[in-house]
Amino acid sequence: MFILFITLACASRTDHTPVPVTAPDMVPMAVKMEIDYDTAQWTELTTDLGFVIDIKYATADNFVKEAVYPCGRCFLRKAAAKALMKVQSDLKVKGYKLKLFDCYRPRPVQEKLWKKVPNPDYVAPPSEGSMHNRGVAIDLTITDKSGKEIDMGTSYDFFGPQAHHDYTKHAKSILDNRILLKNVMEKNGFASIRTEWWHYSLASGSYKLEDWEWSCD
């Protein structure tokens, strides 16, 4: 706490002893929030880092129509997070931002999704696990500076050929948007899958499946 000293001069005091007074406009700095995850293994991606965060599985706005995460936080393995920040930096100079729909996904959630859609073209079988369960996959799109999504032709988690990378019947502007995302992700070490324009995973490294679930406190 910052302390000021002033001298009181009044009839009842003649020794001019400095009296400590707290400055009214000086307040202690806020205590930094405690980190509640293993920073040696994980990085949390937040709006403070410039990302637009819209974790769909923490809401009912997803293909299972119910929340399967207790709250919307985005974690990636440190290598994947570092690569994604490079993607963000590359897009920023073009006037764009990244919007994140899904990041690390605990394996118990994978089981719930598989029960809803037991189709390996769209949901990895829990026995094999997803790259999301390993913390190196990201579902995302591109937005303008204000956070408005650019047109990718379908919504997130659209199950059908229109969401595939090899679908060419969209307008050229949409195909160009997909190419922009694909090129910048691949440049920074991510790989795509054929059926989902929004899904990318780190192309290098080996990571174990995880059951860890984040805190919502």
Side-chain angles (χ1 to χ4, degrees):
M1 181 178 293
F2 293 94
I3 303 297
L4 293 180
F5 289 92
I6 63 174
T7 301
L8 296 183
C10 61
S12 60
R13 293 293 300 271
T14 58
D15 58 359
H16 303 293
T17 303
V19 178
V21 178
T22 303
D25 60 341
M26 295 182 179
V27 296
M29 293 179 63
V31 177
K32 186 177 181 180
M33 291 183 63
E34 183 178 352
I35 301 297
D36 59 359
Y37 60 92
D38 182 0
T39 57
Q41 298 291 328
W42 303 96
T43 296
E44 182 172 11
L45 303 176
T46 66
T47 55
D48 288 343
L49 295 174
F51 297 98
V52 179
I53 306 296
D54 183 14
I55 305 303
K56 293 297 189 183
Y57 296 127
T59 74
D61 183 20
N62 57 62
F63 75 93
V64 297
K65 305 302 180 185
E66 63 181 81
V68 292
Y69 293 158
C71 59
R73 299 177 71 180
C74 174
F75 293 91
L76 289 178
R77 296 284 189 182
K78 294 182 75 66
K82 183 178 180 180
L84 195 67
M85 289 179 190
K86 291 181 180 178
V87 174
Q88 175 83 319
S89 180
D90 286 350
L91 288 173
K92 184 177 180 180
V93 299
K94 299 177 183 293
Y96 295 114
K97 301 171 72 171
L98 285 176
K99 185 173 189 176
L100 312 183
F101 295 129
D102 195 26
C103 311
Y104 161 64
R105 181 188 305 157
R107 189 162 42 173
V109 174
Q110 192 71 24
E111 295 173 356
K112 294 179 182 179
L113 298 182
W114 178 255
K115 288 179 181 178
K116 293 286 186 177
V117 181
N119 183 340
D121 283 342
Y122 298 106
V123 179
S127 58
E128 298 177 5
S130 164
M131 298 302 280
H132 282 290
N133 306 145
R134 293 172 168 84
V136 292
I138 186 79
D139 293 346
L140 76 175
T141 192
I142 297 173
T143 76
D144 62 18
K145 289 182 179 180
S146 68
K148 181 181 179 181
E149 295 178 27
I150 66 174
D151 192 353
M152 292 293 188
T154 75
S155 61
Y156 168 62
D157 265 357
F158 179 90
F159 296 146
Q162 294 91 336
H164 296 186
H165 281 285
D166 56 6
Y167 186 84
T168 60
K169 295 181 181 180
H170 290 300
K172 183 179 183 301
S173 59
I174 293 172
L175 298 178
D176 287 345
N177 289 342
R178 291 188 180 187
I179 290 172
L180 172 63
L181 178 59
K182 191 170 189 288
N183 286 348
V184 72
M185 293 297 287
E186 290 180 347
K187 172 190 172 185
N188 288 288
F190 289 92
S192 63
I193 60 174
R194 182 182 65 86
T195 56
E196 299 176 355
W197 61 258
W198 55 82
H199 176 93
Y200 289 87
S201 57
L202 200 63
S204 62
S206 178
Y207 299 89
K208 68 176 183 176
L209 299 170
E210 289 282 356
D211 295 332
W212 168 72
E213 298 185 12
W214 54 84
S215 169
C216 292
D217 295 336

